[in-house]
Amino acid sequence: MNKLAIREEVGQKLLEWYEANKRDLPWRRTRDPYAIWVSEVMLQQTRVETVIPYWERFLERFPTIEALADAPESDVLKLWEGLGYYSRVRNLQKAAQVVKERHHGIVPDTLDEMRALPGVGPYTAGAVQSIAYDLDVPAVDGNVFRVLSRLFLIEEDIMKPKTRKTFEDLAEFLIPSGRAASFNQALMELGARICIPKNPRCGTCPVQGPCKAYAEGVQEELPVKEKKKPPRPVDMTAALVRSGDAVLIRRRPDTGLLAGLWEFPGGERMEGETLEDSLVTHLRESLGITVQPLHLFAQVEHTFSHLHWNMRVFECDLLTGEVRVSEDVRWVALHDLETYAFPVAHQKIVKQLGGLI
DNA sequence: AACGCGGGGGA
DNA sequence: TCCCCAGCGTT
């Protein structure tokens, strides 16, 4: 079969399947480009079921571009707490400020203008432009990589940057004219529900017929992907410093891991250092205070994609008379901790503190 | 091109 | 418990 005939068949079969099988997701009930944009950013590395409640709360609290642009960053992070990859929402807010100031609060309706916004790459730009503005542009996410690699038996490593153009060109070629919104979502929906990573449901797949990987029986071997290395183990310390009903917390720096979130002060143990010495040094250097670790309060394990924290939390005496509080260092009553955005690793500590209230 | 960046679900 | 899921920015 020639290329144009396959394009015809895949387009028709996928659109038909999608119309009959698409899930009723909240962001599919709106045409608001901003609301769709928020959903795409949340969905970047997070599954649908997780995103739904976050999206509802976020749109309720920040219903417009302007509301998001004008909000305190701490409020924005609090609504993102637990979703991970916090730079996503910091960039989203920066982008909202650009849209407010330079685009009259209207999400731009061209690929190039959208791509120029912070946090907007080829996928997000394509998804928003096609879904919200009906532009015939591709939106290639991990699902689409998987579906197309199987459908056309493409064995290039999808993790390699140069491979992206191959898939984008193919995805664009396949778009039935004027139907990018449904077609792009159909490809992703197929990847999420039928053409899944393990044990794909080829028996109920609408494009089993033209699928080259299925014909060869190699669907389980695709897509080809380089293995990533295991998380690096890191010994962490954290201090539980109490004063009456309050505990000492600080805000993490504006860049790097967990930027802008709050935590119990501490840090990475250096080689050859004891946990206690490490903790004392960290608090002296970052907060200018001297503490005496008393006893182990909790041990928390947390795995990131690239790190594994083994965090020991010590209850400490404060030897310094006074702590210089600031924008980033605060005494907070136990029952007020919930108003601050913490990484999940530190939420585990907060949870254990709950027993003390 | 290589690396940093979180967290959750399913087998 | 182990293994899997990946877009974007920075360097």
Side-chain angles (χ1 to χ4, degrees), chain A residues 269-274 277:
Chain A
R269 183 185 65 82
M270 296 300 145
E271 186 141 335
E273 223 177 7
T274 67
D277 286 348

Side-chain angles (χ1 to χ4, degrees), chain A residues 35 51 65 70 87 95 97 147 157 186 205 225 252 255 269 273 315 318 320 333 336:
Chain A
V51 164
I65 289 266
D70 295 342
S87 68
Q97 289 160 355
V147 170
D157 183 343
C205 179
K225 225 172 132 181
R252 293 179 61 90
T255 56
R269 183 185 65 82
E273 223 177 7
E315 177 143 24
L318 183 61
T320 313
D336 284 334

Side-chain angles (χ1 to χ4, degrees), chain A residues 9 43 55 60 150 160 169 189 201 209 252 262 336:
Chain A
E9 180 180 0
L43 288 164
W55 185 85
E60 192 176 325
R150 288 172 176 169
K160 296 219 178 302
D169 289 349
E189 188 92 346
R201 303 174 178 135
R252 293 179 61 90
W262 290 81
D336 284 334

Side-chain angles (χ1 to χ4, degrees), chain A residues 160-173:
Chain A
K160 296 219 178 302
K162 60 171 292 192
T163 308
R164 204 189 76 214
K165 187 166 169 42
T166 307
F167 284 84
E168 274 180 357
D169 289 349
L170 177 56
E172 180 163 25
F173 167 75

